[in-house]
Amino acid sequence: MIVLAGCGGRGHKATEPRVQTVVGGGYRFLAPSSWSVHRAGRQVTATSGATDLVGVTTFTLARRYRPRLWAQAVPALDRTAGELAAQLGGTLRARATVVVAGRRARRYEIGYRRAGKALVERTAFVLTGRREHQLLCRFEAGADDGACRTLFSSFRPA
């Protein structure tokens, strides 16, 4: 799996009331209304400038996921996150099991540098049926992460 995106919101506070509903193949989420929405294959993103990004990429699983398989899924997701950190030349700073859309999900935070900037990429894997939804957000380290928090709290699979 290759993660292409991240989350952020420099200049877009978490309390910003103006949001847009972004709809993808089998899911929806909220993003700041001033951000541009882009669709490419299995991925839908909303961006602001060159750094700030939120989005979802959907993958088809080889087998149907069932909640009782969670303990087996976690090590595989942890390996994927480690590979992503290596691809970015960064460090996996945090990993946790969280609840997204009423389902257990695995969330990761990766710190890395690009074009002289310290960036943070947060990603979470939400498994449902034969789909894996990878929530992605990127923002500059130390900047407001409101758009990222909105992505994680508003994501809903169909």
Side-chain angles (χ1 to χ4, degrees):
M1 250 173 259
I2 298 175
V3 176
L4 303 173
C7 163
R10 207 169 12 148
H12 299 278
K13 302 296 180 203
T15 58
E16 180 178 339
R18 293 179 296 275
V19 294
Q20 62 182 315
T21 300
V22 180
V23 178
Y27 61 87
R28 63 183 164 81
F29 64 92
L30 299 177
S33 60
S34 61
W35 289 24
S36 300
V37 175
H38 310 276
R39 300 171 194 288
R42 304 176 306 211
Q43 184 178 56
V44 179
T45 59
T47 60
S48 175
T51 301
D52 296 332
L53 184 145
V54 296
V56 177
T57 303
T58 302
F59 300 94
T60 301
L61 298 171
R63 292 181 298 187
R64 183 173 185 78
Y65 169 75
R66 291 178 174 75
R68 64 184 159 90
L69 299 174
W70 182 250
Q72 295 170 349
V74 168
L77 296 172
D78 287 354
R79 278 191 302 278
T80 299
E83 292 167 4
L84 173 60
Q87 287 174 9
L88 293 171
T91 304
L92 184 58
R93 300 189 324 196
R95 69 180 89 194
T97 297
V98 297
V99 175
V100 175
R103 296 165 170 80
R104 279 187 291 196
R106 197 73 173 152
R107 184 179 68 200
Y108 304 90
E109 185 167 298
I110 299 167
Y112 67 104
R113 295 192 71 77
R114 188 77 61 223
K117 290 183 180 180
L119 302 176
V120 175
E121 183 156 298
R122 255 182 230 150
T123 189
F125 298 99
V126 180
L127 307 173
T128 176
R130 296 236 13 237
R131 291 188 176 187
E132 173 185 322
H133 299 286
Q134 186 175 11
L135 284 60
L136 315 161
C137 58
R138 181 180 58 228
F139 55 96
E140 198 167 330
D144 180 31
D145 68 347
C148 188
R149 287 182 282 123
T150 299
L151 167 67
F152 283 85
S153 66
S154 69
F155 172 81
R156 297 292 180 268

